[in-house]
């Protein structure tokens, strides 16, 4: 019984012995699972390649796994050597389970790990979009590209980058989890730094470069020159007026620029585009002679005038005072509008200051000159009272212009302050044209001139030195006011008599008639200056000349008495 048991124990293998027997049966090949093996293509059958890797049985791999470009024909034939991944020793059909894709992935991982450890760049292709970023094919291994690592600046459309081999930097690798994180931005920043150093080292004023518009502001655009940015000011984009850089540029646009200024200390670069074009101001005074009329387009309107573009890069200013003959206190925007085509005259050209003065009204008829031709001095016309001021009446005239009737030209006999009360705004009045000053744009009108001057008619035949009879109208401390033929006159206190004792205004009464001599006719004040004293002195001289002199022995009393008697006798 014991011997039987002993034999049984000897013939029954242990678990360890069973594993050894399995290894002996299978051989060392079972340990190859999960590794990359070299194999030979035995045959191509029905889109599959039959691969011999030196095992008891061959394996099958779909031909598409050998495609270098998805969808393209596979150039594989019997006898070719290939590397494949052994997943299992055999499947239910007794064939080895092989994979070309996993072999490529394993190979790629080994190369990527080497590149990662050596901080070397790798080449990959962006082929898909996932949450937070994109997927990249690194020669068989799939990596994750975060959205923030695509470029140095945000990229609106990544489509142009997809499907194109790109350099990447591996940021993180975890083979156990199959995770790889890459960055395209790190490569660009490194390249940018290298390019920046080289560019700045060789940068010179006047140098012409190509760049890409990176950003646009109200005052200009920042242009990426390949690692370094330069400012393209709005005034240096074009010779023509540009109100905002977006009128000529857009982000991402490639432009050719010239280095205008470069400060090596601050690294500031000023760029220009217009400097690459011919300066339109060259010979501008010959192109635009003073007095020439031409057409232009209104580009900008301000409180003080409007800018008119004569050609690209050449603008002139029509000052508000040169816009209209008649509209003096109107904003330029009420006369012209932006983009309107207008005819202008060249008034002045300053090539040094790059300024051209233009006139708009000079291309239109001067209403004052037209008025002067049609209504010369002395013409009587009608007009509406537009305004009443302390100076007189403003009357609307043909041609949308005004003339002024000064207070002194309202009435012959009354003061202007009194006469102006007869008029109100809107009244239609008849006036006479007194004077037209085209240069000063003034027209003088008169209302009293429509009739004869009563002063002149009353003073017909009266001249200085004549003796007239006046009627006392008012007594004042300084003399007496009188009327002569309906005109006012004044006899000063000192002129009331040759005798000082008789130079008393109070000895006269209103209504008294007195003889006096005309000493002055003042047409400005329309008054006569009169003198009783001058008349008496003149009469004395005349009597002395006629009846004797002091040498004859006759007294003055005798002479005057004789003269008086003769006068009375003659009257008798």
């Amino acid at each position: 019984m014991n011997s039987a048991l002993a034999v049984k124990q000897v013939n029954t293998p242990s678990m360890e012995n069973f594993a050894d027997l399995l290894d002996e049966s299978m051989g060392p090949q079972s340990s190859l699972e999960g590794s990359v093996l070299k194999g030979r293509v035995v045959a191509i059958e029905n889109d599959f390649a039959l691969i011999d890797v030196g095992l008891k049985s061959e394996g099958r791999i779909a031909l598409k796994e050998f495609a270098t470009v998805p969808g393209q024909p596979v150039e594989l034939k019997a006898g070719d050597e290939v590397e494949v991944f052994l997943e299992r020793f055999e499947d239910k059909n007794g064939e080895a389970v092989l994979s070309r894709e996993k072999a490529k992935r394993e190979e790629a991982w080994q190369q990527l790990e080497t590149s990662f450890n050596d901080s070397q760049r790798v080449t990959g292709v962006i082929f898909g979009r996932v949450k937070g970023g994109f997927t990249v094919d690194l020669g068989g291994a799939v990596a994750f590209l975060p959205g923030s690592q695509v470029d140095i600046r945000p990229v609106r459309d990544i489509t142009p980058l997809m499907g194109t081999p790109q350099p990447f930097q591996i940021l993180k690798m975890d083979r156990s989890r199959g995770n790889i994180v890459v960055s395209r931005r790190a490569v660009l920043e490194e390249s940018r730094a290298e390019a920046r150093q080289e560019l700045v080292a060789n940068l010179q004023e006047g140098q012409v470069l190509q760049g890409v518009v990176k950003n646009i502001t109200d005052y200009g655009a920042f242009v990426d020159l390949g690692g370094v940015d330069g400012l393209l000011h709005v005034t240096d984009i074009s010779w023509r007026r540009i109100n905002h850089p977006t009128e000529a540029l857009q982000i991402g646009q490639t432009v050719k620029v010239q280095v205008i200024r470069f400060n090596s200390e601050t690294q500031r670069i000023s760029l220009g585009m217009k400097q690459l074009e011919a300066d339109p101001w060259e010979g501008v005074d010959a192109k635009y002679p003073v007095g020439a009329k031409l057409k232009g387009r209104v580009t900008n309107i301000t409180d003080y005038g409007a800018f008119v573009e004569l050609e690209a890069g050449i603008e002139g200013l029509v000052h508000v005072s040169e816009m209209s003959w008649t509209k003096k206190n109107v904003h330029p925007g009420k006369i012209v509008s932006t983009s309107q085509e207008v005819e202008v005259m060249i008034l002045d050209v300053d090539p040094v200051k790059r300024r051209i003065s233009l006139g708009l009204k000079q291309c239109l008829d001067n209403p004052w000159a037209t008025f002067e031709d049609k209504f010369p001095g002395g013409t009587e016309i009608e007009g509406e009272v537009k305004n009443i001021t302390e100076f007189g009446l403003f009357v609307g005239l043909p041609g949308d212009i005004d003339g002024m009737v000064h207070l002194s030209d309202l009435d012959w006999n009354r003061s202007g302050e009194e006469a102006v009360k007869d008029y109100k705004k809107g009244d239609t009045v008849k006036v006479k044209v007194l004077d037209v000053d085209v240069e000063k744009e003034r027209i003088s009108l008169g209302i009293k001139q429509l009739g004869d001057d009563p002063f002149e008619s009353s003073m017909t035949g009266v001249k200085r030195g004549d003796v007239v009879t006046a009627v006392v109208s008012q007594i004042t401390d300084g003399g007496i006011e009188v009327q002569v033929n309906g005109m006012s006159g004044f006899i000063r206190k000192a002129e009331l008599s040759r005798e000082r004792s008789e130079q008393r205004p109070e000895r006269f009464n209103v209504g008294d008639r007195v003889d006096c001599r005309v000493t002055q006719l003042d047409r400005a004040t329309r008054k006569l200056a009169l003198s009783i004293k001058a008349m008496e002195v003149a009469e004395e001289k005349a009597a002395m000349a006629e009846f004797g002199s002091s040498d004859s022995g006759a007294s003055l009393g005798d002479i005057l008495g004789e003269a008086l008697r003769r006068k009375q006798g003659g009257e008798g």
Side-chain angles (χ1 to χ4, degrees), residues 1-13:
M1 192 63 185
N2 291 335
S3 60
L5 288 172
V7 172
K8 188 176 183 179
Q9 289 175 348
V10 170
N11 293 334
T12 304

Side-chain angles (χ1 to χ4, degrees), residues 171-380:
L171 302 181
K172 190 186 300 183
M173 283 190 76
D174 188 341
R175 188 165 186 174
S176 62
R177 295 185 179 182
N179 291 339
I180 306 176
V181 180
V182 295
S183 171
R184 180 174 175 270
R185 175 177 179 172
V187 175
L188 295 177
E189 287 179 342
E190 185 177 343
S191 301
R192 185 183 180 89
E194 295 172 357
R196 179 187 179 91
Q197 290 177 358
E198 183 180 353
L199 180 65
V200 171
N202 300 318
L203 205 61
Q204 294 179 350
E205 292 185 1
Q207 189 174 358
V208 178
L209 302 170
Q210 216 173 41
V212 177
V213 179
K214 178 179 179 181
N215 191 26
I216 294 178
T217 67
D218 291 339
Y219 54 85
F222 287 94
V223 178
D224 183 354
L225 302 174
V228 60
D229 292 346
L231 173 62
L232 175 60
H233 196 271
V234 64
T235 57
D236 289 311
I237 294 175
S238 174
W239 289 110
R240 67 181 178 87
R241 175 187 291 272
I242 292 181
N243 296 314
H244 196 275
T246 51
E247 295 177 15
L249 301 172
Q250 58 185 4
I251 293 176
Q253 179 180 348
T254 300
V255 292
K256 185 179 287 186
V257 293
Q258 185 179 66
V259 179
I260 302 174
R261 287 177 299 278
F262 171 55
N263 189 323
S264 57
E265 295 181 2
T266 61
Q267 301 280 297
R268 289 185 179 177
I269 305 172
S270 296
L271 305 173
M273 285 178 64
K274 73 179 185 182
Q275 286 77 6
L276 298 174
E277 302 173 356
D279 186 353
W281 283 88
E282 290 291 334
V284 69
D285 46 354
K287 287 193 293 183
Y288 301 105
V290 173
K293 293 182 180 179
L294 59 158
K295 290 186 177 181
R297 181 178 59 87
V298 178
T299 57
N300 193 29
I301 297 175
T302 67
D303 292 338
Y304 53 85
F307 287 91
V308 176
E309 183 182 60
L310 304 178
E311 65 171 273
I314 299 289
E315 284 186 344
L317 172 65
V318 181
H319 192 267
V320 64
S321 62
E322 306 295 346
M323 301 198 79
S324 173
W325 290 110
T326 57
K327 299 174 182 177
K328 300 298 183 183
N329 298 314
V330 176
H331 191 276
K334 298 290 183 66
I335 301 175
V336 295
S337 57
T338 304
S339 298
Q340 178 184 349
E341 187 177 66
V342 293
E343 186 178 23
V344 292
M345 177 184 284
I346 306 295
L347 303 183
D348 183 60
V349 178
D350 189 336
V352 178
K353 294 183 179 179
R354 293 176 175 254
R355 292 177 181 173
I356 297 180
S357 297
L358 303 174
L360 191 66
K361 70 182 184 182
Q362 286 79 0
C363 295
L364 305 172
D365 291 335
N366 185 338
W368 279 270
T370 303
F371 184 88
E372 184 181 38
D373 293 339
K374 194 172 182 180
F375 305 102
T379 305
E380 296 181 6

